[in-house]
Amino acid sequence: MKTVTDTDTCVVRRRASRPRADALRNRERIVTAAREMFVEFGPDVPLDEVARRAGVGNATLYRNFPDRAALTHEVVLAVTSRTTDRAEEAVAAESDPFAALSHFVHAAADERIGALCPLLSGSFDKNHPELLAERRRLEEAVEGLVERAMTAGRLRTDIAVGDVLVALSQLTRPLPGIACLDIDRFTHRHLQLFLDGLEAPARSVLPGSAATLEDLRRGH
């Protein structure tokens, strides 16, 4: 009798865990769909369209994210966190510092880092402690990549971390007002041209001054 009871209990526990797993998958699908649509159409895309792209009902979307600010927060957090992970992976995968930086730049594009810039002008709490902590983690990771490549003499010395992040943002999203659905056709080509321009020795003199992280923070 005890064996039957234990078995029944295990079955009940498995059944109870399924809705939670399904809920997590739905939440992830919503965030992924929102990330892609924010890149394609901008941060004001109708949330009903996000739900349709994610393959969930409107009720499911609003149960997870009661308003646009909550969804935007989660997309920014996810993109920032995953991009930082790609930076750490690049360091582990590449012994050459410039190859590590290049690896990261292409991986960051695949994480849709270009979604961050327009989102940061939206109506949500940009100074939420969770977001600030992830932003610092990303900045430190990219600073490390840039400093290692520069110390090794592989990266031109008249640039700064902000230059890398600005270029990534500009080159990984469509032009304003244009829904360029196949932007991936061009993104990695243009990023490679950008990376070729970063490699030392420098082939030109850059106008202006290097963009620092502080410059980017003041811009926000």
Side-chain angles (χ1 to χ4, degrees), residues 25-176:
R25 281 193 293 272
N26 284 339
R27 186 179 178 87
E28 186 174 329
R29 280 198 291 265
I30 292 166
V31 172
T32 299
R35 181 189 68 171
E36 297 299 319
M37 297 193 78
F38 288 165
V39 171
E40 292 170 13
F41 304 109
D44 296 325
V45 63
L47 297 188
D48 293 354
E49 293 299 322
V50 173
R52 187 173 294 110
R53 171 79 68 93
V56 302
N58 290 350
T60 299
L61 185 148
Y62 288 108
R63 185 163 56 247
N64 282 276
F65 304 104
D67 54 32
R68 185 179 299 276
L71 179 57
T72 302
H73 171 101
E74 194 65 24
V75 171
V76 171
L77 185 66
V79 171
T80 305
S81 176
R82 288 172 61 91
T83 302
T84 305
D85 291 343
R86 301 296 83 78
E88 293 171 352
E89 289 168 5
V91 172
E94 304 287 354
S95 57
D96 176 78
F98 192 83
L101 179 61
S102 300
H103 182 131
F104 163 71
V105 165
H106 286 289
D110 290 337
E111 291 297 343
R112 299 299 193 248
I113 193 173
L116 290 181
C117 193
L119 292 183
L120 292 175
S121 63
S123 57
F124 72 106
D125 183 6
K126 303 167 191 62
N127 295 315
H128 189 286
E130 192 176 30
L131 294 179
L132 289 177
E134 280 301 331
R135 189 176 76 183
R136 280 193 296 271
R137 197 167 76 93
L138 175 60
E139 290 174 351
E140 288 170 3
V142 180
E143 274 185 313
L145 285 165
V146 168
E147 287 172 4
R148 278 189 290 274
M150 204 172 284
T151 299
R154 299 280 284 111
L155 181 68
R156 60 190 301 162
T157 57
D158 56 351
I159 65 105
V161 178
D163 292 304
V164 175
L165 294 176
V166 167
L168 262 172
S169 176
Q170 291 177 337
L171 293 172
T172 54
R173 70 180 193 271
L175 295 172

